[in-house]
Amino acid sequence: MLYTPKQTIEFTGSSHSSLRNYTRDYARYFSTEATNTPRKYTEDDLRVIACIIDLTKGRGLKHSQVAEELPAALETFTWTAPEPTEQAQDNVSADS
C-alpha cells in the first residue's frame, strides 16, 4: 500500500517540513516511491519516519547522531502503520 504525504503526516505525527527534510536527509533509507515526485510512501517508509521521530523527540538525539544511530535502530524498531480510514483508503486507491 502506498500513502500520500498527507496520510504519512497523519499516521506518523510528522510535520510537512520534517517529512520533506527526513526524505531528503535520509534518502538512502526510503523507497524509490518516496524519493521521486509525486511522493508516495510505503509502510516501510512510514516505519523509518517513526524511527527518526523516536530518535529525535523520544530520545533527544540531534540529526547528526540520528544519522549514526539509524541503521542499528531500524534493526530493532517495531512500529506498525495504523489502518487507514475508509476515506483514506479510497484516496489511496484513487491515487494508485
Side-chain angles (χ1 to χ4, degrees), residues 4-95:
T4 64
K6 182 178 179 181
Q7 291 167 320
T8 301
I9 290 165
E10 177 186 335
F11 295 152
T12 63
S14 175
S15 69
H16 184 72
S17 61
S18 291
L19 178 62
R20 189 173 47 247
N21 291 337
Y22 297 159
T23 306
R24 180 195 65 226
D25 296 345
Y26 304 101
R28 68 186 221 172
Y29 299 101
F30 286 94
S31 67
T32 304
E33 293 86 1
T35 56
N36 289 324
T37 54
R39 295 190 196 285
K40 299 288 183 181
Y41 294 87
T42 66
E43 287 186 31
D44 284 340
D45 294 329
L46 271 63
R47 186 175 153 272
V48 170
I49 294 162
C51 186
I52 293 167
I53 291 170
D54 179 64
L55 292 171
T56 55
K57 293 183 179 176
R59 299 186 196 177
L61 298 182
K62 296 180 181 183
H63 284 285
S64 59
Q65 295 169 305
V66 171
E68 294 174 17
E69 297 291 328
L70 190 56
L74 285 171
E75 288 182 23
T76 59
F77 186 75
T78 56
W79 185 86
T80 305
E83 290 294 320
T85 63
E86 187 173 315
Q87 180 180 1
Q89 183 76 32
D90 290 343
N91 290 341
V92 171
S93 298
D95 289 341

